[in-house]
Structures are given as C-alpha cells and as structure tokens.
Amino acid sequence: DSLFIAANNYASSLIDLERPEEAKSVLRKAMPVARRALGEDDITLLRMRMNYAKSLYTDADATVDDLAEAVKMLLQTARTARRVLGGAHPLTGNIDGYLGQLHEILGARKETQPAENLAEEVD
C-alpha cells in the first residue's frame, strides 16, 4: 500500500509543478497494479484516479477527448467515493471540487473557441 501512496504523492507533486505529462505516465503505470492489489474501492486508488483526471484537465495541451476522459473518470470516482466513504468525506469533497474546476474549464473553452473548431476536435 505504501508503494502506491508514494506513487500517487509523486504524481500529485508533478501536477503541482505543472508537469502533467509525467504525472499521467506515473499513474498510467501504477493504477492497474493498484487496482489488482488493493481493489477498485480502495481509497488510495480513488486518490490516484482523482489525480489522473486532474493531470488530464490541467495539461495546457489537453484535447477535448482528454477533458471528456477527465469528466468520465471524476464522475465514476465520485460515485465510488460516495458509496464507499460517504458524501461528507474530504476526498469526496475534493473530487466534487475538481469536477467544478473542470466544468469551469469546459465553459471557458466553449466561450473562447468557435463551435466549428470544437466539432473538428471531437471528430
């Protein structure tokens, strides 16, 4: 368990240092192993999933697909966190906060990018 906590903390630090590509790489390798070792409902895996989504949407080069993946992952993670930890748990609140940030980013992106360009990115 401590190995996965360390990997997640490292990825979180990389996100804070605005190095989301490196964070994604760490988490892509660690999450499948953590899922097998700890189980889908483990709090460490929930944190890893939350940070992976954050690394997707904080990347300056994030595509529409990246943002969609981040939304999907955060929604799934929030649902699991509510079921396992409850709505009052701090992690559940953090996930909800990141969902709010992501919705703001999506809203700003729609305002600054013409609809035809968004449609091209989705294709």
Side-chain angles (χ1 to χ4, degrees):
D1 191 35
S2 61
L3 176 66
F4 302 117
I5 292 170
N8 187 56
N9 289 344
Y10 179 55
S12 181
S13 295
L14 289 169
I15 294 166
D16 291 343
L17 292 169
E18 298 178 4
R19 294 164 58 184
E21 283 298 324
E22 293 174 61
K24 284 186 270 190
S25 177
V26 168
L27 292 169
R28 279 187 196 124
K29 292 174 186 170
M31 284 191 309
V33 180
R35 187 177 299 113
R36 285 191 302 273
L38 305 174
E40 193 69 39
D41 296 341
D42 185 81
I43 192 168
T44 300
L45 182 59
L46 295 175
R47 287 184 176 120
M48 293 173 98
R49 292 173 56 87
M50 178 186 71
N51 280 327
Y52 182 73
K54 188 176 179 187
S55 72
L56 287 170
Y57 78 78
T58 58
D59 191 339
D61 298 326
T63 65
V64 171
D65 289 341
D66 291 335
L67 298 178
E69 183 180 355
V71 168
K72 182 179 176 183
M73 181 161 287
L74 283 174
L75 287 172
Q76 291 173 342
T77 305
R79 196 171 18 256
T80 303
R82 270 191 192 70
R83 181 175 47 78
V84 174
L85 305 171
H89 194 280
L91 182 62
T92 306
N94 288 345
I95 295 166
D96 289 341
Y98 291 146
L99 271 168
Q101 288 176 4
L102 183 50
H103 285 294
E104 288 176 18
I105 290 168
L106 289 169
R109 192 166 184 158
K110 284 181 184 177
E111 291 173 10
T112 60
Q113 189 171 16
E116 61 272 6
N117 289 350
L118 282 173
E120 289 173 11
E121 283 190 33
V122 172
D123 292 338

